[in-house]
Amino acid sequence: MPVLPTPPAHTHEVPGTRFTSLATPSRGSAENSVWIVEITAGTVATPHELTREEVFVVLEGTADVLIGDERSQARPGDAIVVPPGLPFELRPATGSSLRAICVLPVGGRAVLGDGTSFPPPWSL
C-alpha cells in the first residue's frame, strides 16, 4: 500500500506526550518508522540513548535538545539528528508545547539509563 492514511487519533500516549504512528511495520513500511510526537509544555524529558540514528523535524514550538554534552534549541523547520549511542533528551522550551515528526529505522531501540532496552511501541 503506497499511501497510509493518517490515523484518526493519536496511537500511543505517555504522561505529557502523545504519539501518532504514520508509517511503521504494522502499518506497512519496511525500513523506516515515522511518527508525530506532541509534547505538552512543562513535560520533563526522559534521558535515553538510541541504537540507530533518529531524526526529528520540528513542526511547532521550540525544542530544548541535549545530545551528549551539547545543548541547543530547534525551531520549526529545524532538523535534529540524534546519533546512536549518545545520551539524548528532548523537551519543549519553557512555556511552549512541541510538535515534531520523527524518523527511526526499523529495529531501532531506546536504551534507558538503567540499561533497559526496548523498541518504542509507536515505531512498531
Side-chain angles (χ1 to χ4, degrees):
M1 176 186 305
V3 175
L4 304 173
T6 303
H10 63 274
T11 55
H12 299 81
E13 190 166 353
V14 298
T17 307
R18 296 187 310 183
F19 302 88
T20 304
S21 300
L22 300 175
T24 60
S26 65
R27 300 196 78 230
S29 66
E31 305 224 2
N32 292 291
S33 294
V34 180
W35 61 87
I36 293 173
V37 60
E38 299 170 276
I39 307 173
T40 305
T43 300
V44 177
T46 301
H48 61 289
E49 295 180 8
L50 301 159
T51 61
R52 305 283 303 271
E53 178 181 84
E54 185 172 34
V55 177
F56 294 84
V57 177
V58 177
L59 301 173
E60 297 172 12
T62 300
D64 278 332
V65 182
L66 179 63
I67 301 173
D69 295 333
E70 186 177 334
R71 185 171 298 278
S72 56
Q73 289 196 329
R75 291 174 174 69
D78 291 346
I80 304 162
V81 180
V82 183
L86 285 178
F88 166 66
E89 294 180 19
L90 175 72
R91 66 175 177 234
T94 305
S96 71
S97 292
L98 177 64
R99 188 167 185 259
I101 195 160
C102 183
V103 179
L104 179 70
V106 169
R109 299 176 68 83
V111 182
L112 300 177
D114 66 2
T116 303
S117 173
F118 61 92
W122 40 89
S123 72
L124 302 176

